[in-house]
Amino acid sequence: MLTEERLGRIISIVDAKKTVTVQELMTELGTSESTIRRDLATLDSDGRLTKVFGGAIAKGVTFSTKDDTITARENCNHSEKTEIAKYAASLILPEDFVYLDAGTTTNLIIDFITEKKAVFVTNSFSHAKRLSEAGFHTYIIGGEIKQPTEAVVGEEAVESLSKYNFTKGFWGTNGVSLSTGFSTPDVNEALIKKVSLSRTREKFIVCDASKFSQISCVTFADFCQATVITSVINDCVYNKCKNIIEVTRQ
């Protein structure tokens, strides 16, 4: 394969998947690791993609390495988050044992929950307070408090989760990608998300469409592991995915 043809193929793959690894490109193109790494360096230098450790991401994709505070995030895309939260709350049925992750969109779900027979477990002290005040049967896991996201994390939190088996769960995410999955900047918070997901039967990621152009440092679940409840996505690749519910299209 000629160099220009190979570079064109790489750009097509990256644009379609948003993020790819060196190994994926080696398999797709039948080319050596050294050749792929050299091609990625060339394309990065030309401004046609962004080379990252172990692969590349498409231009326009944001790579985030830290969490914004709850205050900074709560007014971003508020109308979309509200519609997402409303739909998510409608899925909660009598006798459900629900895990509610920390986050601004999961916080909005509480505004629309009407099922008083459901039981809730959360790793957010602010969520626990609101749920309890609203009269819901609520548990909070123990552990270390992470102030920026108001989440409970750490070894004790992981141990707390080990005794639960949830019927449904709702998680926030900082990034969504077909190849890197659902991601967040903090390794401790990613571990709590991963463990709670593994103990849940029906898994839902709640996030507005802006998260589909972002990737964070730590993946906590593969893209196929959960159903995504989101706003309208202007990306034909994701529109073909069967595990995405676009609530503003309902």
Side-chain angles (χ1 to χ4, degrees), residues 150-170:
E150 300 180 356
V152 179
V153 298
E155 292 183 11
E156 187 175 341
V158 172
E159 187 175 344
S160 293
L161 285 168
S162 66
K163 63 177 174 284
Y164 294 123
N165 298 293
F166 306 107
T167 60
K168 288 188 179 80
F170 302 89

Side-chain angles (χ1 to χ4, degrees), residues 64-200:
S64 60
T65 58
K66 64 179 182 179
D67 271 314
D68 292 326
T69 63
I70 290 289
T71 303
R73 289 187 286 135
E74 61 186 358
N75 291 321
C76 293
N77 304 311
H78 189 267
S79 61
E80 290 93 337
K81 289 179 180 179
T82 299
E83 291 303 312
I84 292 163
K86 188 183 299 183
Y87 182 89
S90 73
L91 301 176
I92 298 172
L93 303 175
E95 314 306 331
D96 265 337
F97 191 50
V98 181
Y99 181 78
L100 197 61
D101 184 35
T104 55
T105 307
T106 52
N107 182 52
L108 286 170
I109 292 174
I110 299 170
D111 293 337
F112 303 101
I113 298 172
T114 58
E115 185 47 67
K116 293 293 185 178
K117 291 184 179 179
V119 178
F120 297 88
V121 178
T122 182
N123 72 321
S124 165
F125 58 85
S126 59
H127 289 14
K129 183 174 185 293
R130 293 192 63 215
L131 285 163
S132 180
E133 288 175 344
F136 296 106
H137 192 170
T138 307
Y139 295 90
I140 184 170
I141 63 175
E144 176 188 354
I145 292 174
K146 180 187 172 188
Q147 186 56 46
T149 57
E150 300 180 356
V152 179
V153 298
E155 292 183 11
E156 187 175 341
V158 172
E159 187 175 344
S160 293
L161 285 168
S162 66
K163 63 177 174 284
Y164 294 123
N165 298 293
F166 306 107
T167 60
K168 288 188 179 80
F170 302 89
W171 291 264
T173 186
N174 294 71
V176 180
S177 166
L178 287 174
S179 58
T180 60
F182 306 110
S183 56
T184 191
D186 185 85
V187 65
N188 291 315
E189 196 154 359
L191 180 59
I192 297 301
K193 291 174 186 285
K194 182 175 183 178
V195 172
S196 54
L197 267 157
S198 72
R199 306 197 68 83
T200 304

